[in-house]
Amino acid sequence: MAYKLNNPEYYNNRELSWLRFNYRVIEEAADSNNPLLEQLKFLAITSSNLDEFIMVRVAGLKDQVKMNYHEPDTKTQLTPKEQLKGIGELNRANSEVQYDYYHQLMQELEAYNIYLRRPNQLSESMQAEIETLFDEQIYPSLTPLGIDAYRPFPKLMNKKINIFVNLSNELGDRTAIVQLPTVIKRFYEIKEGKDTYFILTEDIIEEHVEKLFKGFRIDRTFPFRITRNADLTIHEEGAADLLIEIERFLKERTKGAAVRLEIDISKNSMINGSFLRTELDLHEEDVYKFDGPLDLTFLFELSSRLKTDLPNLVYKPFTPQEPKFLGSENVYNKAMKEDIFFHHPFETFTPVVEFMQEAAEDPDVLAIKQTLYRVSSDSPIIDALKTAAENGKQVTVLLELKARFDEENNVQWAKELEDAGCHVIYGMHYLKTHSKITLVVKRVKGRLVRFVHLGTGNYNDSTAEQYTDMGIITTDPQIGSDAINFFNYLSGYSLKPEYNALHVAPFEIRDLFGESIDDEIEIHKKYGNGYIFAKMNSLTDKKIINKLLQASQEGVKIDLIIRGICCMKPGIEGVSDNIRVISIVGRFLEHSRIYYFNHNGEEKMYLSSADMMTRNMIKRVEILFPIYDRRIIEELKSINRLYLMDNIKARSQKPDGSYEYVRNSHPPVSAQEELMRRSESCGREQQVQKENELLLKVRNRFKRKK
């Protein structure tokens, strides 16, 4: 069969697909099913997401243009210049909607006597209070930066808000900049009666900026913000110590070239920022003007501040339950009998932490080996590893120093772990180690047993409450042997091992996907029941996309749950009409990766730390692991079906690459809400079971006494 594969119309551009995902996050701010303070947080998430996108993806494209690299991307055949043009158009449209929702939501907040105001909009008594606050808490930390022949344009910090000042006296016009120091708050709060007023720090500074420039008349002020290139190269080759090289890199990154200039034009729509644009070597298309405050990530802090006073405006509290496949049993005792499955945040991350803590203290544990990519700021996992080393156990930690935007934290953790006696390795040349694996070697009844935890998400107790992730703990001998070989390969010198059960990137995971899709095609030709299900963050790899298109054209049914980037257009007649792409954006960040191939009933189910992205499968050390336990396979199939039934938070991608909410006549289903309900129901059942077991023990004790 001659497959239809090469038409650029069959593909979505990676960057534009990401911006469509960020628009879906903006849509959550407009969804009245979300409590008001949660809607505001979605606006903050959008801004945070966009900052990273600009610093890395847009910066990379701009570098290509500067280097006269004009090769089109392999899927949509857009050159770097064309991609930047498309990004600018779509991002401006997104931002306009984002700020429309911002103003709407802030107005809705006023119904609860909460107001965001400028100082000159307050009563005289409150204005006096704000002036005192400025004089005592803000003014001492400010440094006015004049710009002239003796005072060159300053190297302004990345993502920090600045006040641009035009001023003059009898000697002429002057220009200056005042940067908001990191040490002061973004907003201040004052009360008057039942009303609570929040005033942004930049507005307070603008109101009293003349105190910084005595003898001058203030002609004009406006806030602005610079985003810098963070996509700099870590020079791994020849680095005597990667830890030192990363520290050098972190210093260099603060000096990256400006990529974006944001200007608040809410007080003066005529501002164009031409002076700043020239000084920063930016073009007009790099300037974004907003009718409102810059950097809406302050809404995280605002929502957090208000949730105590307005508990009805946040999500109802949810307590993760004990894992269904563990119950009240000890992790190690249960794993000796059967595999344990975890589904966070619906089930608590605590057993994974306890798995590490018990290993650290257990005299029968000989060794602990673990990969770490991102951990929380006060990590109990790190504490357990340090305790284990101090207790004389052999502890090996692969701590990925190149985890983007977590480099500084990981450098600090590396030093602490080394000081505690852990053997710390930093990863591999030109590859990021993104795998999530822990090996505990323990003596059980005179023999050594290898307990292995494998997961789709980081060993981070904080994000485990916000991201949907999955994992298992197993004593399967083949997986245990693979875990030993995996860590020995990373820590020593040897050829890449042959694995029994695990599939390890680079290359092996993509090879497995390709072979599995080919097998599904052949089985479908014979039996007519071909089916593939995959859930991931992003789909970008062209080889895998082409395999999926071939499968669709042969009649294989394919369901894809893809939260973010999807570089393939589904539903094109004769090309991808057997493929459905669903994106779910909700209360929790969808982060688990699930891959399923029907194989005429000989089902193959896998979980992984890897997406179907080229960077994951070729440029990272990732693990894809099989699920053998029939109970867990059935549980995963049930979860998969639930996601496909979602008609509240799910959006379906159309053949043109745009998305629309899934709306049908079926009873309303939100997959995340239903998973919370199931978890709580299971938790209640487990509690009743515990109480019955306790009652039975008491009765037996009473009988013995009689």
Side-chain angles (χ1 to χ4, degrees):
M1 177 176 181
Y3 297 110
K4 301 175 184 177
L5 301 174
N6 293 321
N7 189 334
E9 294 298 316
Y10 302 162
Y11 303 93
N12 294 307
N13 175 263
R14 184 194 195 283
E15 320 306 345
L16 301 183
S17 180
W18 184 90
L19 285 170
R20 291 191 183 100
F21 156 67
N22 214 33
Y23 181 78
R24 296 195 289 279
V25 180
I26 295 173
E27 283 185 317
E28 288 300 305
D31 188 344
S32 57
N33 291 316
N34 295 321
L36 180 54
L37 295 180
E38 305 293 349
Q39 290 175 268
L40 288 171
K41 281 171 64 176
F42 278 110
L43 292 180
I45 292 168
T46 302
S47 289
S48 177
N49 287 348
L50 187 59
D51 280 347
E52 186 171 332
F53 177 76
I54 296 290
M55 288 189 290
V56 178
R57 303 303 305 182
V58 172
L61 287 170
K62 286 177 71 68
D63 282 345
Q64 290 179 30
V65 172
K66 285 179 184 176
M67 292 185 291
N68 293 314
Y69 181 84
H70 303 300
E71 290 297 312
D73 73 289
T74 59
K75 303 179 193 78
T76 55
Q77 296 297 301
L78 293 176
T79 66
K81 271 189 178 179
E82 290 170 332
Q83 291 181 66
L84 286 170
K85 183 175 183 292
I87 288 168
E89 291 171 354
L90 189 50
N91 194 25
R92 278 180 168 75
N94 283 3
S95 297
E96 189 174 333
V97 174
Q98 181 190 19
Y99 273 81
D100 284 346
Y101 290 150
Y102 166 78
H103 290 298
Q104 177 183 320
L105 294 175
M106 294 308 293
Q107 193 169 353
E108 289 181 28
L109 205 53
E110 294 183 3
Y112 302 91
N113 304 109
I114 305 294
Y115 304 89
L116 187 75
R117 291 288 187 264
R118 290 196 170 100
N120 61 7
Q121 297 172 318
L122 302 173
S123 67
E124 287 187 12
S125 62
M126 285 194 289
Q127 287 187 45
E129 187 177 341
I130 287 293
E131 184 169 8
T132 300
L133 185 151
F134 173 81
D135 292 339
E136 295 178 355
Q137 298 187 37
I138 300 174
Y139 178 81
S141 66
L142 299 179
T143 302
L145 302 171
I147 301 170
D148 56 30
Y150 298 94
R151 289 165 285 203
F153 191 86
K155 191 71 175 182
L156 300 170
M157 294 174 67
N158 183 36
K159 300 195 298 178
K160 300 300 180 186
I161 292 176
N162 309 275
I163 309 297
F164 187 86
V165 185
N166 284 131
L167 58 162
S168 60
N169 64 8
E170 63 277 4
L171 297 177
D173 297 336
R174 296 288 187 272
T175 299
I177 290 172
V178 180
Q179 186 164 75
L180 270 67
T182 307
V183 294
I184 62 174
K185 300 190 292 186
R186 178 66 195 280
F187 57 79
Y188 291 85
E189 173 185 352
I190 58 175
K191 291 181 178 292
E192 188 172 69
K194 295 180 180 179
D195 298 332
T196 301
Y197 293 86
F198 291 93
I199 305 94
L200 293 172
T201 304
E202 60 264 36
D203 289 336
I204 297 173
I205 295 172
E206 280 193 277
E207 183 71 15
H208 299 287
V209 75
E210 77 281 352
K211 295 187 179 186
L212 292 164
F213 301 99
K214 290 179 179 177
F216 284 83
R217 181 177 66 254
I218 305 300
D219 299 321
R220 183 180 66 163
T221 63
F222 62 85
F224 71 96
R225 182 173 182 259
I226 300 165
T227 315
R228 296 190 178 278
N229 185 343
D231 190 34
L232 305 181
T233 302
I234 298 173
H235 301 293
E236 299 178 55
E237 192 63 47
D241 188 329
L242 188 62
L243 199 71
I244 295 170
E245 172 58 26
I246 292 288
E247 290 178 319
R248 181 207 63 80
F249 160 80
L250 291 170
K251 293 175 183 176
E252 288 295 316
R253 188 159 69 185
T254 63
K255 305 172 185 175
V259 179
R260 175 184 61 171
L261 170 63
E262 298 171 282
I263 297 174
D264 179 351
I265 62 167
S266 57
K267 291 200 300 184
N268 185 349
S269 61
M270 302 304 291
I271 294 168
N272 59 29
S274 57
F275 174 82
L276 290 169
R277 202 172 69 228
T278 301
E279 290 291 337
L280 296 166
D281 193 23
L282 292 172
H283 302 288
E284 196 167 345
E285 59 268 24
D286 302 320
V287 180
Y288 288 80
K289 302 174 185 178
F290 300 118
D291 179 19
L294 306 178
D295 188 12
L296 295 184
T297 59
F298 81 88
L299 295 172
F300 283 127
E301 188 181 349
L302 182 68
S303 299
S304 179
R305 158 61 193 86
L306 292 173
K307 69 180 181 182
T308 304
D309 297 337
L310 302 169
N312 293 332
L313 299 187
V314 295
Y315 291 126
K316 291 179 182 177
F318 170 72
T319 302
Q321 303 297 307
E322 290 296 325
K324 174 181 175 181
F325 286 79
L326 176 62
S328 58
E329 286 196 61
N330 173 272
V331 172
Y332 288 92
N333 294 341
K334 184 73 169 180
M336 288 294 295
K337 294 182 280 188
E338 57 191 9
D339 291 352
I340 309 167
F341 173 70
F342 304 95
H343 191 190
H344 317 298
F346 311 104
E347 297 176 339
T348 177
F349 191 69
T350 300
V352 179
V353 174
E354 291 174 346
F355 174 67
M356 297 297 299
Q357 291 171 334
E358 185 172 335
E361 300 287 357
D362 190 338
D364 288 324
V365 169
L366 280 65
I368 302 172
K369 303 186 181 188
Q370 186 172 48
T371 59
L372 294 178
Y373 194 75
R374 303 186 198 276
V375 295
S376 62
S377 57
D378 187 22
S379 172
I381 298 287
I382 296 283
D383 288 342
L385 290 167
K386 287 157 64 175
T387 300
E390 288 160 0
N391 286 340
K393 303 181 192 306
Q394 185 187 68
V395 179
T396 303
V397 183
L398 190 148
L399 187 57
E400 182 50 76
L401 295 184
K402 295 172 287 185
R404 198 188 301 273
F405 302 120
D406 267 315
E407 300 97 340
E408 190 170 2
N409 291 335
N410 287 0
V411 164
Q412 185 58 39
W413 288 131
K415 291 176 180 178
E416 286 193 26
L417 288 166
E418 286 174 340
D419 289 344
C422 300
H423 177 59
V424 182
I425 52 180
Y426 305 146
M428 302 185 73
H429 271 309
Y430 303 113
L431 298 172
K432 288 185 181 180
T433 303
H434 192 248
S435 313
K436 324 297 181 187
I437 180 172
T438 301
L439 168 67
V440 174
V441 180
K442 178 179 177 179
R443 188 183 292 107
V444 181
K445 295 180 180 178
R447 67 185 182 95
L448 293 184
V449 179
R450 290 159 295 196
F451 295 82
V452 182
H453 176 271
L454 292 154
T456 67
N458 295 306
Y459 289 106
N460 188 318
D461 53 299
S462 177
T463 57
E465 297 178 357
Q466 305 160 42
Y467 297 6
T468 71
D469 271 308
M470 297 173 172
I472 62 167
I473 291 178
T474 182
T475 55
D476 179 274
Q478 286 193 323
I479 291 178
S481 175
D482 285 351
I484 291 279
N485 290 333
F486 175 80
F487 280 106
N488 288 346
Y489 171 60
L490 292 180
S491 64
Y493 295 105
S494 68
L495 295 175
K496 190 174 180 181
E498 292 290 328
Y499 295 103
N500 301 299
L502 303 181
H503 300 270
V504 180
F507 300 110
E508 279 188 24
I509 293 176
R510 185 161 75 173
D511 290 346
L512 175 78
F513 285 152
E515 291 163 7
S516 298
I517 296 169
D518 285 341
D519 289 346
E520 198 66 38
I521 290 171
E522 293 308 310
I523 293 170
H524 178 76
K525 288 177 181 177
K526 188 172 181 180
Y527 297 102
N529 59 0
Y531 179 65
I532 296 169
F533 174 93
K535 180 179 182 294
M536 68 198 88
N537 297 335
S538 297
L539 169 64
T540 66
D541 188 77
K542 190 173 182 181
K543 286 188 176 180
I544 297 301
I545 290 172
N546 287 350
K547 288 286 185 184
L548 292 170
L549 292 176
Q550 290 174 26
S552 172
Q553 289 168 42
E554 289 288 359
V556 176
K557 300 295 183 184
I558 302 170
D559 283 322
L560 303 176
I561 307 290
I562 303 175
R563 183 194 79 217
I565 302 165
C566 179
C567 290
M568 175 188 63
K569 293 179 180 176
I572 299 173
E573 188 174 353
V575 177
S576 57
D577 43 353
N578 286 306
I579 300 175
R580 176 169 52 161
V581 175
I582 301 294
S583 173
I584 293 175
V585 180
R587 173 173 180 169
F588 304 117
L589 181 81
E590 290 296 335
H591 195 251
S592 52
R593 288 89 163 189
I594 310 169
Y595 303 101
Y596 170 85
F597 303 90
N598 182 45
H599 285 7
N600 190 40
E602 294 184 13
E603 300 167 306
K604 302 292 183 183
M605 182 77 79
Y606 303 93
L607 299 178
S608 182
S609 58
D611 295 313
M612 287 180 166
M613 301 181 76
T614 306
R615 76 175 188 194
N616 289 89
M617 297 185 290
I618 304 303
K619 299 178 181 179
R620 289 186 175 183
V621 179
E622 304 267 16
I623 293 177
L624 178 133
F625 53 97
I627 302 299
Y628 295 136
D629 191 309
R630 192 71 232 170
R631 301 167 309 129
I632 300 175
I633 291 174
E634 291 303 320
E635 178 74 6
L636 284 165
K637 286 169 66 178
S638 173
I639 292 168
N640 296 347
R641 286 192 296 271
L642 184 58
Y643 276 106
L644 293 171
M645 291 166 60
D646 194 307
N647 54 8
I648 293 179
K649 292 297 184 182
R651 285 89 157 171
S652 176
Q653 188 186 159
K654 298 191 291 186
D656 65 357
S658 63
Y659 285 76
E660 62 182 3
Y661 277 98
V662 174
R663 294 291 183 257
N664 51 44
S665 58
H666 301 151
V669 174
S670 166
Q672 292 185 1
E673 291 286 339
E674 176 61 18
L675 286 167
M676 284 192 286
R677 189 198 65 76
R678 289 184 185 182
S679 176
E680 289 176 327
S681 175
C682 182
R684 285 192 293 271
E685 290 173 8
Q686 288 178 346
Q687 185 60 35
V688 169
Q689 184 178 344
K690 282 182 187 177
E691 290 170 358
N692 288 339
E693 288 172 356
L694 181 61
L695 184 61
L696 185 61
K697 286 179 182 177
V698 171
R699 284 174 176 168
N700 289 338
R701 228 180 270 126
F702 180 72
K703 286 178 182 177
R704 284 196 296 271
K705 284 182 180 180
K706 287 180 71 177

